[in-house]
Amino acid sequence: MLKRLLAIMTAALIIAAIAVPGFAKDEIKIAYVEWDCAAASTNLVQAVLQEKMGYEVEIIPVAAAAMWQAVGTGDVDGMVTAWLPVTHADYLAKVKDKVENLGPIVGGAKLGWAVPSYVKAESIADLNKYADKFDGRIIGIDPGAGLMRLSEQAVKDYDLKLELMEGSGATMTAALSNAIKNNEWVVVTAWSPHWMFGKWDLKYLADPKGTLGGEEHIDTIVRKGLSKDKPEVYAFLDKFEYKDAVQMQTLMAWNQEPGADRYENAKRFIKEFPETVDSWLK
């Protein structure tokens, strides 16, 4: 009787293991920075790998420099938020022989400084003239971001009297929201694709010196050796890209809804854009 019971229990364990193949697969680690675009794409990658491919995925929020270093050392498998060719150029240069670029997930990306459309300033060169209206401040994001490095250079290149304030993506959009509610002037470090351009009527300030760079693309970067260690994951990340910037901004907008859950919205994307998702898995 005991032998029979043990046999039944053993069979049950085998069936359970077969029924949940994800338990047999290695864990995937993806690094990202706490920017809205990065968080949206990273959660989407996590959802596809877990819901469609059966992997366990850990996503790790870090500063930009640490993100690149982690991929370079192989501590994580990859990331889907490399802004190139300008913003993250310095980070890439330090690890270029240790990583592989799988190409863009979306093009038409842009960095710059943005203001509400009711602001009279049209160019970064105009800011000193209106410094008092802006309370002498440019609202920035986290100090490790490539955008902040370029913004610091812009302050020097344009000999601005305004102070570049450090913060985060969340504090930047909060300051922007508060200023617009009160019809006040504000200038923020900005990038697109970003949900704020869909929520508010904003404009980029002209950058005649070109300090903040031109059009960029957001790329997937993986550690060297991923294609051999985890070929299925590598193949998916190699194909992962949005159909267009609208798809990405749609996902980002969902994440701004009250009570939004990034992972649940990633699962929603999988359901609402099946053709795009299927193209990543072929």
Side-chain angles (χ1 to χ4, degrees):
M1 184 69 179
L2 181 59
K3 289 183 177 179
R4 183 180 179 187
L5 181 59
L6 289 172
I8 292 172
M9 291 175 65
T10 301
L13 288 172
I14 293 172
I15 292 171
I18 294 172
V20 191
F23 291 165
K25 294 190 175 183
D26 295 334
E27 184 179 69
I28 309 302
K29 294 184 178 181
I30 306 293
Y32 72 104
V33 285
E34 275 291 351
W35 303 337
D36 294 307
C37 58
S41 296
T42 303
N43 273 268
L44 180 54
V45 164
Q46 181 188 32
V48 174
L49 283 168
Q50 293 189 157
E51 306 295 329
K52 291 287 190 178
M53 301 175 67
Y55 287 89
E56 288 294 323
V57 181
E58 180 183 4
I59 60 174
I60 307 166
V62 292
M67 175 179 68
W68 279 90
Q69 182 179 11
V71 181
T73 58
D75 290 334
V76 301
D77 294 296
M79 58 159 161
V80 290
T81 184
W83 280 67
L84 296 169
V86 177
T87 309
H88 286 172
D90 289 350
Y91 300 137
L92 174 59
K94 293 176 182 178
V95 298
K96 63 181 181 180
D97 296 327
K98 302 176 182 178
V99 302
E100 184 176 351
N101 188 340
L102 299 185
I105 66 170
V106 70
K110 177 179 173 63
L111 297 179
W113 291 357
V115 297
S117 60
Y118 56 75
V119 168
K120 292 181 180 179
E122 297 293 337
S123 168
I124 294 175
D126 296 336
L127 293 181
N128 279 341
K129 180 168 58 175
Y130 298 112
D132 290 344
K133 295 280 284 182
F134 291 110
D135 199 23
R137 301 185 303 166
I138 302 157
I139 309 300
I141 55 173
D142 46 295
L147 173 56
M148 287 295 281
R149 175 178 55 80
L150 295 173
S151 293
E152 289 170 359
Q153 188 60 48
V155 170
K156 296 177 182 177
D157 288 353
Y158 288 92
D159 193 24
L160 298 179
K161 310 305 180 189
L162 292 82
E163 181 181 3
L164 178 62
M165 309 297 295
E166 295 179 352
S168 67
T171 58
M172 178 273 289
T173 53
L176 180 60
S177 176
N178 186 62
I180 290 173
K181 285 179 183 177
N182 295 295
N183 201 42
E184 296 173 345
W185 285 34
V186 64
V187 55
V188 301
T189 58
W191 63 94
S192 50
H194 196 291
W195 60 264
M196 65 184 177
F197 286 94
K199 183 170 183 178
W200 298 301
D201 188 8
L202 307 174
K203 63 184 179 182
Y204 277 110
L205 293 176
D207 176 19
K209 295 182 182 291
T211 304
L212 299 176
E215 183 174 310
E216 301 237 300
H217 40 84
I218 305 173
D219 294 7
T220 295
I221 306 292
V222 299
R223 62 174 175 81
K224 281 288 180 69
L226 183 67
S227 60
K228 294 181 180 179
D229 300 342
K230 300 169 183 175
E232 187 180 39
V233 175
Y234 178 91
F236 158 63
L237 291 174
D238 193 26
K239 294 177 182 176
F240 176 72
E241 64 177 335
Y242 294 98
K243 180 181 177 181
D244 51 37
V246 174
Q247 275 191 343
M248 186 180 190
Q249 291 191 149
T250 297
L251 179 56
M252 293 168 66
W254 292 346
N255 288 338
Q256 298 306 309
E257 295 171 356
D261 181 289
R262 290 170 175 170
Y263 189 79
E264 289 303 314
N265 282 333
K267 289 164 62 176
R268 177 182 172 185
F269 185 99
I270 292 172
K271 291 180 181 178
E272 295 197 16
F273 297 98
E275 292 183 359
T276 297
V277 175
D278 286 347
S279 72
W280 305 334
L281 303 175
K282 292 178 179 178

